[in-house]
Amino acid sequence: MRPVLGAQNPRIAELRRLIGRRSSRSDDIVIEGPRTVGEALDAGCQPSVVIVPEHAEDDAAVVAVERRLPASAEFLLVRDHVFERLAPSTTPQPMLAIVARPAASLPAAPSVVLVLAGVGDPGNLGTLVRAADAVAADAVVVVGGADPWGPKAVRASAGSMLRVPIVQYDQLSDAVDVLRDAGVTVVGTDVTGGEPFDQGVLDRPVAIVMGSEPHGLDRDVDLDAWAHIAMPGRTESLNVAMAGTLLLYEACRS
């Protein structure tokens, strides 16, 4: 009979502090839900700690993941209200796992790369990583903005964050230099300026640079080309996740 831990357990108090202090610079990340933990295992990410609420102990999905855990993983069963306090989301799925932050680098000869410069909404960021996964993009580069390994971004990516290499840079210029050295054309996106996105500007190898939601990209940034999506209707712009998905599919089609 596995013990069910309460809020006063020293280990639970320690984990609450660890999860609460997690930042974009932390060595560990927190992932949520049996499906995502299973995908982490598929990607070779071994959880150090797995936490499950009491009510889900016999859930089929939870049991299936538990059977796959390495012997070194610490498996903790906790009271339901304790789990809700530990989980970073307001409607948590019945499993939390702590894994080491995946490390990645750009491939030597990438074909399609998505660059997110200052994308601040974790839901948009995760959705864009999911789109990059859908078109088999080689990597996603993140410069500033939301933490790609924050729980909301990981959840929005539906597991894609664990399959697509995520490479972070502090400065956009550094990422551009590395991409150019790899023989990639770096194309910025603009609401009105630049070439139509479906007229060859996204021919591979290409890196598509998306800016922040409210401001987009500064046109003074030194890029190789600029592209825009024509909008003959009355809206002024598209959601960044919607626009990025459209551009990714065009890059893979062209």
Side-chain angles (χ1 to χ4, degrees), residues 122-233:
N124 283 336
L125 194 152
T127 300
L128 283 162
V129 173
R130 187 175 183 180
D133 187 18
V135 302
D138 297 284
V140 174
V141 171
V142 177
V143 182
D147 176 12
W149 296 109
K152 290 183 180 180
V154 173
R155 191 169 184 174
S157 79
S160 292
M161 204 74 73
L162 299 163
R163 293 187 290 268
V164 179
I166 308 296
V167 186
Q168 292 182 263
Y169 286 90
D170 292 328
Q171 300 294 329
L172 178 57
S173 58
D174 293 337
V176 171
D177 289 343
V178 171
L179 288 163
R180 282 180 176 148
D181 289 344
V184 175
T185 300
V186 186
V187 180
T189 51
D190 188 270
V191 174
T192 58
E195 303 175 46
F197 80 101
D198 55 354
Q199 299 298 313
V201 68
L202 298 180
D203 286 352
R204 293 173 285 176
V206 65
I208 303 166
V209 186
M210 310 293 299
S212 67
E213 291 92 334
H215 305 299
L217 281 173
D218 186 344
R219 284 302 299 260
D220 292 333
V221 175
D222 179 25
L223 303 179
D224 299 321
W226 291 84
H228 78 277
I229 300 170
M231 289 175 287

Side-chain angles (χ1 to χ4, degrees), residues 1-5 50 52 54 57-58 62-63 66 69 74-78:
M1 190 74 175
R2 179 181 285 125
V4 183
L5 305 183
V50 174
V52 171
E54 182 179 15
E57 180 181 13
D58 297 323
V62 169
V63 172
E66 182 183 359
L69 294 174
E74 180 183 15
F75 188 94
L76 301 175
L77 189 66
V78 302

